[in-house]
Amino acid sequence: MYKIINDYNDMPLFQMRGTGALVVAAMLDLLTFALCAPYSETTDGKQFDILLEKVADRGRTLYRLFQAPSHTIVKGAGLIMKAIIEEVFF
């Protein structure tokens, strides 16, 4: 799990090159299932907190994904952003 979290830091590289949409979509799916309700109910609390913190630190990258031509990527970024907002502010 921690290797996947660290690989998340490579996501802007794919985005800058304009390639790797499937890799980005797969990473967003993984983050969605780990962070977003109702799937996050099965994520261990400690791992959830670590993952949420690492994803929240990369906020600008998530905002850039809203400009992606793929609706799947935009929706995934939106769900993750919603989860961050709900956990931090509520």
Side-chain angles (χ1 to χ4, degrees), residues 21-57:
L22 290 176
V23 174
V24 173
M27 183 61 69
L28 289 172
D29 283 345
L30 173 88
L31 293 172
T32 299
F33 288 122
L35 296 175
C36 299
Y39 316 111
S40 64
E41 301 294 326
T42 58
T43 304
D44 180 56
K46 185 176 179 182
Q47 289 181 346
F48 179 85
D49 292 339
I50 291 170
L51 184 58
L52 188 69
E53 182 180 333
K54 287 190 177 274
V55 171
D57 288 342

Side-chain angles (χ1 to χ4, degrees), residues 6-15 58:
N6 289 331
D7 288 345
Y8 173 73
N9 291 329
D10 293 334
M11 195 164 66
L13 179 66
F14 293 116
Q15 190 180 11
R58 306 292 293 193

